[in-house]
Amino acid sequence: EVLVAPDISPDEHKLQYAYALWYSKRNPGKLGALLSYDQNLKLIGRFASVEQFWGLYSHLSRPSELNTHTDFHLFKIGIKPMWEDEANQRGGKWVVRLRKGLVSRCWENLILAMLGEQFMVGEEICGAVVSIRFQEDIICLWNKTASDLSTTQRIRDTLRRVLHLPPTALMEYKTHNDSLK
Amino acid sequence: GTRIVYERAFLMNLRNSPISQ
């Protein structure tokens, strides 16, 4: 089973959670339309320690170097980056739209805050997605309980702080339920 | 139990440790 935490050695720094990193790319043409969202998701790797994270991350392209319509999904092991997953069904996400040129720095700041447990919302964080698009890039942070207002507000405040967003930056909360409709 | 919390600077410091390569 690929979705179990990898082993770590005693001299590594264990993370609170193990994570899996996924990649997806929208395929143009007929084949792309035939493939489900699930079939487009490719597992890149898993990690359970800080050292394993850097080992994986340093071999990856930065988000700004990716082609348009490519996404990275970083989720806790055991949670698939899909609305349909049990952990996401009642959840939602903060959506941050970024003008071109900011995404690599913001993505790194976000995942370091997530791995380091800076959000302080217990089990609530599910994962993060970065989406490279034509005119802008989008970063999303998914959490379990969309109806928990104090948690979603706390996540928003931490997100704004760790991304170093200007007060005018637009942040929007979407429940997965709304996205499905 | 206790949550494992790491500051950004601490994580960045481990970036170049031999185990991270």
Side-chain angles (χ1 to χ4, degrees):
Chain A
E1 175 59 67
V2 292
L3 289 181
V4 295
D7 293 331
I8 63 171
S9 66
D11 50 353
E12 292 177 48
H13 293 79
K14 187 179 164 45
L15 294 166
Q16 177 71 37
Y17 297 96
Y19 293 85
L21 182 65
W22 309 76
Y23 161 93
S24 65
K25 179 164 171 52
R26 196 173 74 184
N27 292 303
K30 273 187 181 170
L31 182 63
L34 287 172
L35 289 173
S36 67
Y37 178 79
D38 197 16
Q39 287 170 312
N40 264 326
L41 279 173
K42 307 274 183 255
L43 181 71
I44 300 173
R46 302 165 301 147
F47 53 88
S49 73
V50 181
E51 288 82 357
Q52 287 175 352
F53 162 69
W54 285 123
L56 181 67
Y57 184 82
S58 51
H59 288 97
L60 291 176
S61 300
R62 299 289 165 265
S64 60
E65 297 161 355
L66 298 175
N67 292 325
T68 302
H69 291 296
T70 304
D71 295 2
F72 278 146
H73 318 249
L74 181 61
F75 277 71
K76 287 176 181 168
I77 273 186
I79 304 179
K80 271 202 117 181
M82 311 172 68
W83 298 321
E84 295 87 342
D85 191 284
E86 164 69 23
N88 293 321
Q89 278 176 11
R90 285 165 298 281
K93 61 187 177 185
W94 278 106
V95 181
V96 184
R97 295 174 183 278
L98 300 166
R99 62 180 164 81
K100 286 287 179 183
L102 295 175
V103 70
S104 293
R105 180 177 58 86
C106 287
W107 175 242
E108 186 171 294
N109 286 339
L110 170 59
I111 58 183
L112 291 181
M114 187 167 81
L115 303 185
E117 286 294 307
Q118 298 293 315
F119 285 93
M120 315 288 268
V121 287
E123 307 286 309
E124 270 292 320
I125 303 288
C126 297
V129 183
V130 58
S131 305
I132 305 306
R133 296 296 179 261
F134 181 58
Q135 286 175 317
E136 62 179 2
D137 301 314
I138 304 161
I139 280 179
C140 296
L141 185 61
W142 293 35
N143 75 296
K144 265 183 195 164
T145 319
S147 59
D148 182 347
L149 221 65
S150 69
T151 292
T152 56
Q153 284 173 2
R154 188 165 195 177
I155 294 171
R156 178 199 60 201
D157 294 344
T158 308
L159 197 54
R160 195 178 279 282
R161 179 169 56 80
V162 300
L163 293 186
H164 301 292
L165 292 176
T168 51
L170 283 180
M171 297 178 68
E172 183 188 4
Y173 192 80
K174 286 185 178 174
T175 70
H176 298 321
N177 217 7
D178 287 343
S179 304
L180 276 167
K181 279 171 198 165
Chain B
T2 315
R3 297 181 84 74
I4 307 170
V5 174
Y6 296 122
E7 297 290 335
R8 186 182 191 282
F10 181 83
L11 294 170
M12 291 302 286
N13 275 336
L14 289 174
R15 186 174 201 157
N16 297 314
S17 93
I19 320 172
S20 300
Q21 305 305 306

